[in-house]
Amino acid sequence: MHHFFHPSTTSLKVCGVTLESDAHQLVAEGITALGVNFWPKSKRYLPPVDAAKFLPALKEKILRVGVFVNAPTQEVLSLLKEDIIDVAQFHGDETPEYCAPFAENGHPFIRAIGVKNADSLTNIHDYQASAILLDAHAPGVYGGTGDTFDWNLARTFISKNPTLPVLLAGGITAENAAEATTLVHPAALDLASGSESTPGIKDFDKIRAIQAAISTAQ
Ligand SMILES: O=C(O)c1ccccc1N[C@@H]1O[C@H](COP(=O)(O)O)[C@@H](O)[C@H]1O
């Protein structure tokens, strides 16, 4: 599996990309992974037909993650099979039963969990996910809020599950990326709000500052 999922170092995933030019600039900046949001109600929604115009050319240059919220299985499968994305990120109410066919057919996926309290982190292995993403609990909007959660819960979860790749999300910015890396030691930091000037438009000063903070912290 891609080194993005290796829990020994902290990588960066920049989510909510809507512009082809931003995607190419993320490659040029050496970012490990990008996320494109396929949930129609997201402020960062990109229709699959538009993503299909530029994501294929980025294969092997950056890990291409598609973010879904309760999407029909066939929609996710066709983007994976057509090689438009490398990995699916399930950021809604997807159950272990929904995830099972992806695991059984060798399609890599990240299951995002909105962390409300310690109880949110039980039965995570039931999803058979390639990686787990821990985000702030966001009823109704699912993610992309810019809110943080209690990172001690993430740190404890990782120390109990050292071989499971865990991504930390929710309100990561240039100001807190170093602390997030040092305290939690996630396989990656994942962010949308903290990497943009307006929803869906990336701010490369912020992204470079986050990269520098991660490098210094580890
Ligand atoms: O960005 C969105 O609009 C979004 C909508 C629905 C589900 C997930 C979404 N984004 C993901 O949310 C986290 C945290 O975002 P933020 O940094 O707090 O803005 C991030 O992993 C995005 O992948």
Side-chain angles (χ1 to χ4, degrees):
M1 185 52 70
H2 195 278
H3 75 271
F4 175 66
F5 291 116
H6 206 285
S8 66
T9 53
T10 301
S11 303
L12 180 59
K13 169 170 169 276
V14 174
C15 210
V17 172
T18 60
L19 299 179
E20 178 175 4
S21 55
D22 280 351
H24 283 282
Q25 188 61 29
L26 289 170
V27 173
E29 302 282 343
I31 304 299
T32 307
L34 66 73
V36 171
N37 201 308
F38 294 124
W39 185 42
K41 290 185 181 165
S42 170
K43 292 183 279 189
R44 306 172 179 96
Y45 175 60
L46 187 68
V49 67
D50 291 337
K53 291 176 189 156
F54 65 89
L55 287 183
L58 301 180
K59 184 177 166 66
E60 311 285 352
K61 294 182 178 167
I62 191 165
L63 193 74
R64 304 161 301 166
V65 179
V67 179
F68 301 91
V69 172
N70 304 333
T73 299
Q74 273 313 320
E75 179 186 328
V76 184
L77 276 177
S78 60
L79 288 160
L80 286 162
K81 286 181 180 166
E82 288 164 23
D83 218 4
I84 292 166
I85 58 170
D86 301 301
V87 180
Q89 176 175 320
F90 298 132
H91 219 112
D93 308 303
E94 296 85 359
T95 59
E97 291 71 31
Y98 174 98
C99 296
F102 294 91
E104 283 154 16
N105 292 297
H107 294 300
F109 68 92
I110 300 164
R111 179 68 177 96
I113 308 290
V115 182
K116 195 173 177 186
N117 51 43
D119 290 345
S120 313
L121 299 173
T122 55
N123 304 325
I124 295 252
H125 292 279
D126 292 354
Y127 292 106
Q128 304 179 68
S130 321
I132 293 293
L133 184 153
L134 302 181
D135 191 3
H137 181 58
V141 292
Y142 295 104
T145 59
D147 295 334
T148 56
F149 66 97
D150 180 359
W151 290 343
N152 288 308
L153 294 171
R155 182 171 64 162
T156 304
F157 179 77
I158 288 173
S159 66
K160 287 184 185 161
N161 299 275
T163 59
L164 177 64
V166 177
L167 284 56
L168 182 68
I172 305 291
T173 63
E175 285 69 41
N176 64 16
E179 188 193 347
T181 305
T182 311
L183 183 76
V184 181
H185 290 295
L189 295 183
D190 181 18
L191 67 155
S193 311
S195 64
E196 57 194 15
S197 49
T198 54
I201 309 301
K202 295 303 159 194
D203 177 329
F204 284 91
D205 289 337
K206 290 181 183 172
I207 291 169
R208 284 184 207 111
I210 292 161
Q211 263 188 308
I214 296 173
S215 304
T216 308
Q218 66 184 351

